[in-house]
């Protein structure tokens, strides 16, 4: 099994390269101040926000993860499998990108800029400008020449799940096999009265037509490119025929308009996601941190008000009417205990962004208090006591609006429940118990692995929530069956098999790759409220969207016969002929599904796909069979698929042979 390099060393130990980026000529004065509110001024461009049709719009990798700290490829949904296609190197990878949950990775933005501005010399020699652009987009993240191992002073937390792909040595496996077996509780929280939730993305809606999701993102290179006007401002943008003209002066406002269109498309899809959840008994959802791309970026950041205020308020209105809970989970790069000032500055901006997003929802008082931001304490940095002291110091400087929403979660690398609980009680911070993390990192001198002993700490954990009058929430996931060592057990199973012994009236976030399907699995297993509305999908078939209408071929116009003296035709006979003539009108259209019902599962609620069958979400892949025994016309050549070989095809074949 190939080993993966931890992004901890990559992100924290690598010196930031100097970027060979030329500042574009700006025609509207100096750039806008950082993190300053901008009005919503339309650019007049109507751009498709469907990643399947617009290469500038990407799926945020964070949304496909089981949780923000899940980084292995297996922890994310396989988009190639869901699209029923082989991996195409000409298309940018959406799931192998190592970007963080939030755009705070110091290297990820730089990599995007370097890739966008790297000289395409090699690519241009092989295939011209077009191929050079494709190669640039698909280029893998820049690896440093030498990557030193993180020492005790560097963060040890940033990419915990990356180690799950490493081979475990013999001693590690021996130690894991010799550990005492977990002691689990036999308590099931039934009858269930709480709310089950999932994180960020609804798999069924993401692959509906049109797609519905709230994690569209982009590259910084796309922002810079869209600062330039279109080649033909009078025509809509096109991927090849009408792109931004880099020879024309750039405008910061145009680039910001492009980002704001992405943001508003994300926000405007959430009400439908909430109504979908409500129809199938789900009343708890985590909002994606990528809903507003680069909002907390030090250079390209921006305020959400006023351009997103109305749309976010509409989201809050729907959530309030349905009684749904909304939360967020900033990524593992958001740390308040780091010794590095740049990391702290990034974290403060990121927390401010999340707090603004939740505040603009304008939720009722209790739902507003329940809209929390979950945070990990982060790395140990060689000294836990010093890290705790820095956290206390930085926490004291937070705005009250951030403090009111901040909650801490135990992790599976450094910080156990026994270490965080005293800190939470001291600073009046609610503690989120993550059962999956607890079974990996726990104080063996006070507690045994499993779900039984942790019940004794429930009164103290729940008290941290009740003091602030916030509805308690916990996280639940399970390791993969084949996992043995602690590092391997960090990897989340796509679905869970049971419920933890939590109180039956609290909120439980299911952190699993299969998202809402993992919640459905529990609802079906334990006959939870709403399970009767969930039915199996028909493989590759959907009856809740409008299929594209193929234009019917127009019948040739009826030629009028010339009248002759020998064949006179009466007017009555002409009318009879017209009545008997076949009608050229198109057939009646199929039943039109209203916008409110598109993607909602239809009258039968066919929204469940079995484990491992995510490809059911997409249509069947059409396989083109090669023509057999195709004889070439005189003077022509036919390839293996029965196609006539053109001069362009011959040149391409010769070029490929030369390259080999």
């Amino acid at each position: 099994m190939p080993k993966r390099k931890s992004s901890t060393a990559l992100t924290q130990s690598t010196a930031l390269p100097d970027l060979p980026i030329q500042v574009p000529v700006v025609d509207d004065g100096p750039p806008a101040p950082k993190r300053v509110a901008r009005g919503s001024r339309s650019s007049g461009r109507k751009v498709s926000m469907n990643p399947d049709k617009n290469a500038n719009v990407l799926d945020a990798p964070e949304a496909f993860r089981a949780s923000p700290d899940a980084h292995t490829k297996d922890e994310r949904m396989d988009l190639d499998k869901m699209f029923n296609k082989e991996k195409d190197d000409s298309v940018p990878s959406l799931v192998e990108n190592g970007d963080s949950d939030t755009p705070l990775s110091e290297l990820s933005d730089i990599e995007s800029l370097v890739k966008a501005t790297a000289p395409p010399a090699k690519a241009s020699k092989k295939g011209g400008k077009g191929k050079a652009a494709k190669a640039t987009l698909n280029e893998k993240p820049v690896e440093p020449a030498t990557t030193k191992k993180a020492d005790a002073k560097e963060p040890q937390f940033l990419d915990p799940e990356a180690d799950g792909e490493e081979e475990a040595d013999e001693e590690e496996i021996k130690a894991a096999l010799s550990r005492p077996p977990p002691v689990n509780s036999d308590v099931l929280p039934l009858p269930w009265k709480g709310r089950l939730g999932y994180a960020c993305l609804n798999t069924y809606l993401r692959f509906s037509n049109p797609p519905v999701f709230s994690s569209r993102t982009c590259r910084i290179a796309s922002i810079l490119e869209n600062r330039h006007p279109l080649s033909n401002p009078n025509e809509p943008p096109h991927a090849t025929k009408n792109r931004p003209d880099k020879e024309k002066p750039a405008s910061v406002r145009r680039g910001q308009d492009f980002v704001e269109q992405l943001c508003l498309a994300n926000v405007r899809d959430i009400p439908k996601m909430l109504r979908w959840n409500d129809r199938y008994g789900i009343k708890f959802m985590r909002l994606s941190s990528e809903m507003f791309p680069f909002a907390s970026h030090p250079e390209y950041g921006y305020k959400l008000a006023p351009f997103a205020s109305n749309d976010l308020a509409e989201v809050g209105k729907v959530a309030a009417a349905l009684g749904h809970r909304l939360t967020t989970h900033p990524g593992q790069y958001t740390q308040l205990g780091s010794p590095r000032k740049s990391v702290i500055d990034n974290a403060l901006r990121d927390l401010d962004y999340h707090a603004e997003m939740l505040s603009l929802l304008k939720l009722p008082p209790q739902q507003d208090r329940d809209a929390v931001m979950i945070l990990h304490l982060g790395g140990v940095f060689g000294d836990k006591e010093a890290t705790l002291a820095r956290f206390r110091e930085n926490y004291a400087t937070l705005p009250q609006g951030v403090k009111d929403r901040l909650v801490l979660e135990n992790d599976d690398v450094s910080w156990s429940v026994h270490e965080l609980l005293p800190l939470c009680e001291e600073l009046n911070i609610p503690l989120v118990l993550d059962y999956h993390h607890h079974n990996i990192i726990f104080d063996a001198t006070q507690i045994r692995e499993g779900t039984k002993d942790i019940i004794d700490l429930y009164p103290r954990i729940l008290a941290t929530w009740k003091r602030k009058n916030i509805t308690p929430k916990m996280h639940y996931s399970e390791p993969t069956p084949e996992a043995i060592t602690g590092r391997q057990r960090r990897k989340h199973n796509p679905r869970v098999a049971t419920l933890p012994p939590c109180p039956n009236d609290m909120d439980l976030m299911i952190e699993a790759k299969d998202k809402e399907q993992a919640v459905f699995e529990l609802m079906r297993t334990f006959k939870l409220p709403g399970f009767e509305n969930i039915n199996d999908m028909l493989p590759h078939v959907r009856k809740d969207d409008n299929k594209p209408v193929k234009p019917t071929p127009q019948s040739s116009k009826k030629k009028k016969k010339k009248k002759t003296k020998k064949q006179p035709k009466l007017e009555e006979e002409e009318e009879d002929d017209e009545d008997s003539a076949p009608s050229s009108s198109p057939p009646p259209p199929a039943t039109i599904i209203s916008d409110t019902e598109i993607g909602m599962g239809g009258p039968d609620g066919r929204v469940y796909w079995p484990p491992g069958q995510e490809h059911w979400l997409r249509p069947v892949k059409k396989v083109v069979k090669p023509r057999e025994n195709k004889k070439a016309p005189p003077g022509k050549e036919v390839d293996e698929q029965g196609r006539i070989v053109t001069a362009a095809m011959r040149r391409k074949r010769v070029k490929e042979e030369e390259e080999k």
Side-chain angles (χ1 to χ4, degrees):
M1 187 180 298
K3 294 187 177 183
R4 288 171 55 96
K5 293 183 179 180
S6 172
S7 66
T8 300
L10 178 63
T11 305
Q12 300 293 341
S13 304
T14 308
L16 303 182
D18 295 330
L19 301 182
I21 297 177
Q22 297 180 354
V23 180
V25 180
V26 179
D27 63 0
D28 58 352
K34 303 172 187 176
R35 296 287 294 166
V36 174
R38 301 184 177 105
S40 57
R41 183 173 52 182
S42 173
S43 64
R45 302 185 189 179
K46 292 184 178 180
V47 184
S48 172
M49 291 298 149
N50 186 345
D52 305 339
K53 300 179 180 179
N54 188 344
N56 286 331
V57 181
L58 307 177
D59 282 279
E62 167 265 337
F64 287 90
R65 297 175 186 152
S67 71
D69 36 45
H71 269 246
T72 64
K73 181 179 179 180
D74 291 341
E75 289 270 22
R76 309 171 191 157
M77 303 197 75
D78 189 345
L79 288 185
D80 290 337
K81 184 177 180 181
M82 298 178 78
F83 277 92
N84 298 308
K85 65 182 181 182
E86 299 294 332
K87 185 174 180 181
D88 185 356
D89 291 337
S90 66
V91 180
S93 174
L94 302 183
V95 296
E96 295 181 5
N97 193 334
D99 292 346
S100 64
D101 181 56
T102 54
L104 290 180
S105 170
E106 297 175 4
L107 212 58
S108 61
D109 298 339
I110 291 173
E111 289 166 358
S112 299
L113 287 170
V114 170
K115 286 185 284 185
T117 56
K122 295 182 179 180
S124 61
K125 290 180 181 179
K126 294 182 179 181
K129 295 182 180 179
K131 290 190 177 180
K134 291 181 180 179
T136 302
L137 287 175
N138 198 45
E139 197 171 357
K140 292 184 178 180
V142 179
E143 291 286 350
T146 57
T147 304
K148 65 180 182 180
K149 293 184 178 180
D151 55 27
K153 296 182 180 180
E154 296 296 336
Q156 303 296 313
F157 177 77
L158 296 184
D159 196 2
E161 308 241 0
D163 294 336
E165 290 293 306
E166 294 187 8
E167 282 189 15
D169 55 38
E170 185 177 350
E171 293 183 1
E172 189 177 8
I173 294 177
K174 186 176 179 180
L177 293 175
S178 63
R179 79 179 195 275
V183 182
N184 292 314
S185 170
D186 60 356
V187 174
L188 278 174
L190 300 176
W192 180 254
K193 301 177 183 177
R195 292 176 287 195
L196 294 177
Y198 64 92
C200 305
L201 180 134
N202 183 304
T203 67
Y204 187 87
L205 287 176
R206 168 59 186 88
F207 296 98
S208 63
N209 184 25
V212 177
F213 66 114
S214 62
S215 51
R216 299 169 182 85
T217 188
C218 64
R219 297 182 177 89
I220 289 180
S222 297
I223 300 175
L224 298 178
E225 182 184 33
N226 279 274
R227 288 181 175 181
H228 299 273
L230 292 174
S231 299
N232 186 351
N234 298 323
E235 295 292 331
H238 189 275
T240 57
K241 299 178 181 178
N242 194 21
R243 294 184 59 83
D245 186 352
K246 295 184 179 181
E247 299 297 325
K248 297 180 180 179
S251 165
V252 173
R253 182 66 248 173
R254 287 195 202 96
Q256 183 61 24
D257 284 340
F258 167 74
V259 178
E260 289 181 3
Q261 288 181 61
L262 274 179
C263 298
L264 295 179
N266 286 334
V267 178
R268 289 166 182 169
D269 273 355
I270 297 178
K272 181 151 195 167
M273 296 171 68
L274 295 178
R275 294 186 178 98
W276 193 98
N277 290 344
D278 192 71
R279 176 173 293 190
Y280 298 105
I282 300 176
K283 293 182 176 289
F284 181 21
M285 188 176 73
R286 178 184 298 164
L287 298 178
S288 172
S289 295
E290 300 282 7
M291 195 188 313
F292 294 90
F294 304 105
S296 60
H297 193 277
E299 181 176 355
Y300 302 99
Y302 48 90
K303 286 287 187 180
L304 312 187
F307 82 91
S309 298
N310 293 336
D311 292 285
L312 283 172
E314 181 62 26
V315 172
K317 183 179 178 181
V318 175
L322 299 177
H324 286 212
R325 183 176 191 174
L326 301 175
T327 62
T328 61
H329 194 331
Q332 73 273 13
Y333 294 100
T334 305
Q335 302 186 44
L336 292 177
S338 173
R340 297 179 58 189
K341 185 178 183 302
S342 61
V343 175
I344 299 300
D345 292 342
N346 288 340
L348 295 177
R349 284 194 308 273
D350 199 46
L351 292 174
D352 180 62
Y353 149 61
H354 283 84
E356 182 188 13
M357 177 173 64
L358 293 174
S359 298
L360 289 175
L361 296 175
K362 304 296 181 183
L363 293 165
Q366 184 59 53
Q367 285 177 283
D368 187 53
R369 287 192 295 271
D370 292 346
V372 296
M373 303 184 298
I374 301 96
L375 191 68
H376 290 291
L377 188 56
V380 174
F381 309 102
D383 189 339
K384 284 192 172 183
E385 289 302 321
T387 300
L388 291 173
R390 286 191 297 270
F391 180 88
R392 292 185 183 96
E393 179 182 353
N394 292 320
Y395 178 80
T397 65
L398 294 177
Q400 189 60 42
V402 174
K403 288 183 178 179
D404 291 341
R405 299 189 186 279
L406 193 66
V407 301
L408 285 179
E409 176 191 356
N410 61 303
D411 63 68
D412 55 2
V413 178
S414 304
W415 300 96
S416 69
V417 173
H418 281 91
E419 292 169 313
L420 291 185
L421 187 53
L423 178 69
C424 290
E425 292 172 332
E426 173 192 345
L427 299 179
N428 194 23
I429 301 174
L431 174 66
V432 176
L433 169 62
D434 188 302
Y435 290 91
H436 178 66
H437 295 167
H438 163 69
N439 283 332
I440 300 173
I441 297 295
F442 58 93
D443 188 345
T445 64
Q446 303 186 56
I447 202 170
R448 294 173 295 180
E449 179 185 342
T451 59
K452 185 172 183 179
D453 291 358
I454 193 66
I455 294 177
D456 296 336
L457 291 180
Y458 280 4
R460 291 177 60 188
I461 294 174
L462 297 177
T464 62
W465 295 87
K466 294 177 181 178
R467 280 195 306 229
K468 302 183 78 168
N469 196 21
I470 302 176
T471 304
K473 72 185 290 283
M474 294 182 180
H475 294 175
Y476 186 69
S477 52
E478 296 172 356
T480 55
E482 66 274 12
I484 298 175
T485 67
R487 288 184 298 165
Q488 292 172 344
R489 287 188 293 134
R490 294 172 191 161
K491 182 178 173 181
H492 296 68
N493 209 31
R495 303 192 187 187
V496 296
T498 188
L499 288 166
C502 61
N504 68 346
D505 59 349
M506 68 179 312
D507 296 337
L508 187 65
M509 174 60 66
I510 305 300
E511 294 188 323
K513 182 181 70 173
D514 287 354
K515 305 296 182 178
E516 82 288 349
Q517 301 297 320
V519 177
F520 286 166
E521 205 72 48
L522 286 175
M523 294 173 66
R524 286 182 148 201
T525 300
F526 297 105
K527 304 297 186 289
L528 303 184
F531 85 96
E532 65 279 0
N533 299 324
I534 304 165
N535 291 305
D536 291 9
M537 290 183 62
L538 299 174
H540 312 292
V541 176
R542 294 200 183 206
K543 297 184 178 181
D544 59 357
D545 57 8
N546 293 315
K547 304 296 184 293
V549 179
K550 295 183 179 179
T552 55
Q554 295 181 355
S555 59
S556 58
K557 295 183 179 180
K558 186 179 179 181
K559 296 182 179 180
K560 295 182 179 180
K561 295 182 180 179
K562 295 182 179 180
K563 296 180 181 180
T564 62
K565 294 181 179 179
K566 295 182 179 179
Q567 296 178 340
K569 201 165 190 178
L570 301 176
E571 293 183 2
E572 294 180 358
E573 293 177 347
E574 291 180 358
E575 292 177 0
D576 292 341
D577 290 342
E578 291 177 0
D579 292 340
S580 61
S583 176
S584 61
S585 60
T591 303
I592 302 298
I593 300 173
S594 64
D595 291 342
T596 57
E597 290 300 317
I598 291 178
M600 298 299 287
D604 297 328
R606 293 187 175 275
V607 293
Y608 172 85
W609 48 271
Q613 303 302 312
E614 50 263 69
H615 58 280
W616 283 17
L617 294 166
R618 303 295 295 182
V620 179
K621 180 181 178 181
K622 294 183 179 180
V623 179
V624 179
K625 296 183 179 179
R627 299 177 183 176
E628 298 179 357
N629 301 326
K630 177 73 175 182
K631 293 184 178 180
K636 300 291 184 178
E637 180 185 356
V638 178
D639 64 6
E640 296 176 353
Q641 298 181 359
R643 299 174 300 183
I644 297 176
V645 178
T646 63
M649 294 169 67
R650 291 193 189 93
R651 288 194 297 269
K652 183 179 179 182
R653 185 169 56 191
V654 171
K655 189 175 183 180
E656 290 175 351
E657 292 175 354
E658 291 176 352
E659 291 177 354
K660 290 180 180 180

